[in-house]
């Protein structure tokens, strides 16, 4: 790929664009005027790119060229310019593909027990406050309803609908999503979910913390593996604050997810892992309607 990023290649691209513009002007202004202008503009460009464009020196001898010959030259340059643009598109596509493979390898290296299917986001509803989206892999890639969706930096959501070559992902911001979670430092467990108020600010909440909870701002929250949907030890988010529930005497933590689901472009679907489908340790049911508006709650420290 070095030929597309070398100095000579960039010089050649600039020269082609300039020469095309001069050729268009020459075709309208006449052969003699064109020759003078073309020779003045092209000489330094062709000299600078001499190692790559040795054959282009013949462009300097244009005094005897007819209008038809100039048109032919213009068409040749246009065709060559198109080929170069296509090569650049192929280069950047390959670059993105290589980056995707590197991400897959890094995730598999960190979590070798996971079976992954890579996918890219191909559709979003800009009016969906929960940030759900569609990816370009489905049942043909081994994806099933209920599979966890992640990136190399954390949890994204759950597969909600599956087709042959695409899937609908319900994000971590959805009030329907429930994830068994634990605090990495104090080992306290709970359930991460959200609702429309939290989703509007890009936040989630960890429910069912006790009055004497040791979860505190700055704590790192990961998946616990409970429920058999998400494997354990996947990053979820960082705690912003701990609040008292309006419904009972329990507490809950407000988290900022590590992954911004509204900006994510590439994901991995966890198609299999040790313990998948094991629901012997179930998740407690959430009741989002009983949670008060976070703006009306008092922090634990202010109680």
């Amino acid at each position: 790929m070095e030929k597309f990023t070398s100095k000579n290649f960039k010089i050649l691209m600039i020269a082609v664009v300039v020469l095309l513009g001069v050729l268009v002007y020459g075709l309208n202004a006449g052969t003699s005027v064109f020759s003078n202008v073309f020779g003045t503009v092209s000489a330094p460009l062709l000299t600078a790119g001499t190692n790559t464009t040795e054959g282009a020196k013949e462009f300097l001898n244009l005094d005897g060229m007819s209008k038809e010959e100039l048109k032919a030259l213009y068409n040749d340059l246009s065709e060559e310019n198109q080929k170069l643009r296509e090569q650049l598109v192929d280069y950047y596509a390959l670059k993105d593909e290589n980056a995707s493979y590197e991400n897959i390898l890094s995730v598999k290296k960190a979590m070798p027990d996971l079976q992954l299917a890579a996918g890219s986001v191909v559709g979003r509803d800009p009016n969906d406050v929960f940030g759900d989206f569609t990816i370009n892999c489905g049942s043909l890639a081994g994806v099933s309803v209920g599979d966890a969706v992640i990136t190399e930096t954390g949890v994204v959501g759950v597969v909600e609908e599956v087709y042959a070559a695409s899937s609908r992902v319900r994000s971590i911001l959805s009030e329907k999503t429930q994830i068994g979670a634990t605090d990495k430092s104090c080992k306290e467990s709970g359930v991460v979910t959200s609702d429309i108020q939290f989703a509007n600010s890009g936040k989630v909440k960890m429910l069912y913390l006790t009055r004497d909870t040791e979860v505190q701002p700055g704590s790192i929250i990961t998946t616990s593996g409970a429920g058999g949907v998400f494997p354990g030890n996947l990053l979820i988010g960082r705690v912003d604050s701990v609040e008292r529930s309006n419904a009972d005497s329990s507490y809950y933590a407000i988290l900022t997810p590590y992954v911004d689901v509204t900006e994510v472009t590439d994901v991995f679907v966890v198609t299999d892992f040790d313990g998948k489908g094991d629901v012997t340790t179930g998740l407690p049911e959430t009741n989002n309607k009983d949670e008060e508006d976070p703006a009306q709650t008092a922090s634990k420290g202010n109680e």
Side-chain angles (χ1 to χ4, degrees):
M1 294 301 171
E2 292 182 358
K3 64 180 181 179
F4 293 117
T5 58
S6 67
K7 180 179 179 181
N8 286 335
F9 177 78
K10 294 177 180 178
I11 291 174
L12 176 58
M13 288 296 296
I14 294 172
V16 168
V17 172
V18 173
L19 294 177
L20 285 174
V22 174
L23 279 170
V24 172
Y25 172 79
L27 291 176
N28 294 324
T31 305
S32 60
V33 175
F34 166 77
S35 298
N36 292 333
V37 175
F38 187 84
T40 300
V41 173
S42 64
L45 293 172
L46 294 173
T47 300
T50 185
N51 290 333
T52 307
T53 59
E54 189 66 28
K57 289 183 178 179
E58 61 181 353
F59 291 167
L60 295 174
N61 302 318
L62 299 169
D63 292 336
M65 295 183 70
S66 65
K67 188 173 182 179
E68 288 71 21
E69 290 172 327
L70 290 175
K71 285 183 178 180
L73 179 58
Y74 171 78
N75 291 333
D76 290 342
L77 284 173
S78 296
E79 183 178 351
E80 182 65 22
N81 197 31
Q82 177 63 28
K83 290 179 180 178
L84 290 172
R85 287 198 298 266
E86 292 173 355
Q87 289 175 344
L88 281 175
V89 170
D90 292 340
Y91 164 71
Y92 286 118
L94 183 59
K95 183 178 179 181
D96 290 342
E97 185 177 354
N98 288 339
S100 178
Y101 288 147
E102 290 176 0
N103 288 337
I104 293 175
L105 290 175
S106 66
V107 173
K108 285 190 173 181
K109 185 176 180 180
M111 294 170 282
D113 295 333
L114 303 186
Q115 297 295 317
L116 304 174
S120 297
V121 177
V122 294
R124 294 183 187 275
D125 181 357
N127 297 318
D128 182 4
V129 68
F130 298 120
D132 297 350
F133 54 84
T134 300
I135 57 175
N136 62 352
C137 65
S139 58
L140 294 177
V143 177
S144 303
V145 171
D147 284 349
V149 181
I150 66 174
T151 71
E152 64 275 14
T153 55
V155 172
V156 174
V158 180
V159 174
E160 188 169 48
E161 299 175 4
V162 177
Y163 306 95
S166 65
S167 301
R168 180 73 176 172
V169 177
R170 185 179 71 238
S171 86
I172 191 175
L173 298 180
S174 173
E175 56 192 356
K176 297 179 182 178
T177 302
Q178 298 183 34
I179 305 172
T182 187
D183 184 315
K184 289 293 289 184
S185 57
C186 68
K187 308 302 181 183
E188 190 168 348
S189 298
V191 175
V192 168
T193 186
S194 191
D195 58 34
I196 191 167
Q197 293 176 341
F198 279 86
N200 270 320
S201 57
K203 307 290 185 179
V204 295
K205 52 188 175 180
M206 182 176 175
L207 304 179
Y208 308 119
L209 303 181
T210 61
R211 182 182 184 86
D212 57 350
T213 179
E214 296 181 17
V215 176
Q216 56 187 333
S219 293
I220 296 173
I221 306 300
T222 67
T223 56
S224 65
V229 175
F230 287 88
N233 297 316
L234 298 178
L235 291 170
I236 298 176
R238 183 180 295 272
V239 175
D240 296 334
S241 63
V242 178
E243 313 289 341
R244 182 173 181 175
S245 172
N246 187 45
D248 49 42
S249 60
S250 67
Y251 288 81
Y252 64 95
I254 300 175
L255 281 64
T256 298
Y258 284 113
V259 180
D260 184 349
V261 298
T262 64
E263 299 293 336
V264 69
T265 57
D266 297 291
V267 299
F268 303 107
V269 180
V270 183
T271 57
D272 199 12
F273 62 93
D274 292 340
K276 181 180 181 180
D278 183 2
V279 294
T280 54
T281 304
L283 300 176
E285 294 183 1
T286 62
N287 188 350
N288 293 322
K289 293 182 179 179
D290 290 337
E291 294 293 338
E292 66 179 346
D293 188 329
Q296 298 177 349
T297 61
S299 67
K300 180 182 177 183
N302 295 330
E303 184 185 10

